[in-house]
Amino acid sequence: MTIAPERPAPRPDAGQAPPAGQAPPAGPERRRATSGPRATDVYAVLGAAAAAVALTWLLFARLLPFSGTVGFVLVAYALFLGLYALLVSFDEDGPAVRDRVAGVVVRTLGLVLLAVLVFVVAFTLWEGREALVHLNFFTEDMSLAGPLEPLDVGGVLHAVVGTLEQVGIALVLTVPAGVVCAVFLNEVPGPFARLVRTIVEAMTALPSIVAGLFIYATVILALGMERSGLAAALALSVMMLPIIIRASDVVIRLVPGTLREASYAMGASRWRTVWHVVLPTARSGLTTAVILGTARGVGETSPVLLTAGFTAELNALPTAGAQVSLPLATFELVKSPEPNMIARGFGTAAVLMLLVLLLFVLARIAGGRGPGQLTRRQERRRAAASREDAARFARASLLPSPTAPPRSTS
């Protein structure tokens, strides 16, 4: 008779409890990191980049008659993608390789866009540095500054005032109309809503010169209004309105339907649901829609030139007289062959970027809170209302019920 050898007890895995009566393995459990780049990923990217640059240099300098910086970058990038896919394929399968290559392409495009943005901002600030250091550049207009005047004379105050007034009037006109139209498209579906949505989508690609010509023909020629900042604001409104409607429509459609159903279940009407549930939930997205519309209209030049004209003097009255904006002032200043005027033009562009940044920050502060997040003042008001309700409930509990039988005194 043969006796089978005794088999050792199986070793419990890291994520499996040990059998009854057996002590757990000594030492802390090592967990696998599921987030963050791994060392192999970093080595693959660096190795592919170094090999791509070396091969591109060999092709351009030794083997082929290629030249040019743009061609060098494109060939190096194509080689980098191929080499990176080859290195990743040693450890991963096909879907993982495609996922890694797609991730590298997306991140590369993001870096390119960021680099372009940084270059544009830095180049504008550098070219306008000579004008930005003078205080008069922000406090004076160009009524006394000729092409040969030094930079300590003249400024862009008239353009700043014109831009603020025109964009402000356009926002007053477009924000309520755009939000109401977006609510209509979502809450009142039907053939007419589909027609309106189609027209709005078509107007998002409307050229700016067409908007300026439309206001010039209807408001200035037909109605007899003179060129002014108000006419320019109307032209900017024609361009900003479809952007705000389209973006607000998308944001409102993202509000969960369960919130609407819960409001209807509580007995609220449709418009009370929209006012107290839908719009507060989509407030942050609506702020983004307003920012997109503002960005669409604040940098336009041709509609302002057609409807407001051009002036070198400060005109704070938007309903009468020519009025200039920052983009139009930049366009007119950089056309001059004089270095001082070109420096003023780049300084005006830098002021426009800073002004747009300030408007965006203010918009984010005003509407950046998510649904359910209250300010300190709202929290104090909510706490005071809760205390009043508690006191009212306490007083109501002490009063005798009108339907209760009288208590016996015996």
Side-chain angles (χ1 to χ4, degrees):
M1 181 177 64
T2 60
I3 301 176
E6 184 179 358
R7 300 176 64 182
R11 182 181 179 182
D13 296 334
Q16 186 178 9
Q22 183 177 352
E29 180 183 2
R30 298 184 60 183
R31 297 181 180 272
R32 180 180 178 183
T34 58
S35 62
R38 297 179 299 179
T40 55
D41 299 335
V42 177
Y43 296 153
V45 171
L46 295 179
V53 172
L55 288 176
T56 306
W57 176 83
L58 184 62
L59 292 176
F60 274 66
R62 293 290 185 268
L63 300 179
L64 299 176
F66 291 163
S67 62
T69 304
V70 177
F72 186 92
V73 172
L74 294 178
V75 173
Y77 184 69
L79 291 176
F80 165 72
L81 293 179
L83 293 173
Y84 179 73
L86 178 62
L87 293 177
V88 173
S89 65
F90 293 153
D91 299 326
E92 305 289 349
D93 54 359
V97 173
R98 290 190 291 269
D99 179 73
R100 299 289 180 82
V101 174
V104 168
V105 171
V106 171
R107 289 178 175 84
T108 304
L109 294 178
L111 291 177
V112 169
L113 293 178
L114 180 62
V116 171
L117 178 61
V118 171
F119 173 77
V120 170
V121 173
F123 180 77
T124 303
L125 294 175
W126 178 258
E127 292 294 330
R129 68 190 186 281
E130 297 180 357
L132 293 174
V133 296
H134 296 279
L135 183 61
N136 59 279
F137 186 72
F138 305 95
T139 59
E140 298 180 3
D141 56 17
M142 292 293 294
S143 58
L144 301 178
L148 300 180
E149 293 290 340
L151 293 176
D152 56 358
V153 179
V156 292
L157 179 62
H158 59 306
V160 173
V161 173
T163 298
L164 290 177
E165 291 183 352
Q166 294 169 15
V167 174
I169 295 173
L171 288 175
V172 169
L173 296 176
T174 56
V175 171
V179 174
V180 170
C181 184
V183 171
F184 166 77
L185 294 178
N186 284 272
E187 300 297 330
V188 189
F192 185 67
R194 290 194 295 268
L195 175 63
V196 173
R197 182 177 283 110
T198 302
I199 295 175
V200 169
E201 291 177 356
M203 288 184 62
T204 54
L206 184 70
S208 59
I209 189 67
V210 175
L213 289 173
F214 171 74
I215 297 299
Y216 180 79
T218 57
V219 177
I220 296 178
L221 296 182
L223 300 180
M225 179 187 294
E226 63 176 323
R227 291 185 176 185
S228 60
L230 179 59
L234 294 177
L236 296 180
S237 300
V238 174
M239 302 172 54
M240 295 167 55
L241 184 60
I243 302 297
I244 295 179
I245 294 175
R246 190 72 182 93
S248 301
D249 179 26
V250 173
V251 169
I252 292 176
R253 274 193 285 178
L254 295 177
V255 176
T258 53
L259 296 179
R260 294 184 176 90
E261 295 172 358
S263 179
Y264 295 150
M266 297 296 293
S269 62
R270 173 182 294 180
W271 301 113
R272 185 173 292 274
T273 300
V274 170
W275 183 257
H276 291 283
V277 176
V278 176
L279 294 181
T281 304
R283 179 174 55 183
S284 179
L286 295 176
T287 304
T288 304
V290 174
I291 290 175
L292 293 175
T294 305
R296 180 70 172 90
V298 74
E300 293 297 336
T301 302
S302 55
V304 180
L305 181 60
L306 286 173
T307 56
F310 182 82
T311 180
E313 299 179 357
L314 174 63
N315 179 18
L317 186 62
T319 57
Q323 193 178 61
V324 70
S325 63
L326 285 171
L328 183 57
T330 302
F331 175 74
E332 293 292 337
L333 290 172
V334 297
K335 292 193 306 181
S336 175
E338 297 297 329
N340 288 341
M341 298 296 284
I342 295 176
R344 289 190 180 98
F346 279 100
T348 306
V351 172
L352 176 61
M353 291 190 300
L354 296 177
L355 181 61
V356 170
L357 177 61
L358 177 62
L359 294 177
F360 286 2
V361 170
L362 293 178
R364 278 300 179 188
I365 293 175
R369 294 181 179 271
Q373 297 180 358
L374 305 178
T375 61
R376 293 183 177 179
R377 182 178 179 183
Q378 291 174 337
E379 291 177 354
R380 289 194 296 267
R381 292 174 57 186
R382 184 66 59 86
S386 299
R387 287 193 296 268
E388 293 178 359
D389 292 339
R392 180 166 53 85
F393 294 153
R395 291 192 301 267
S397 63
L398 296 178
L399 297 176
S401 176
T403 59
R407 296 180 180 179
S408 176
T409 58
S410 59

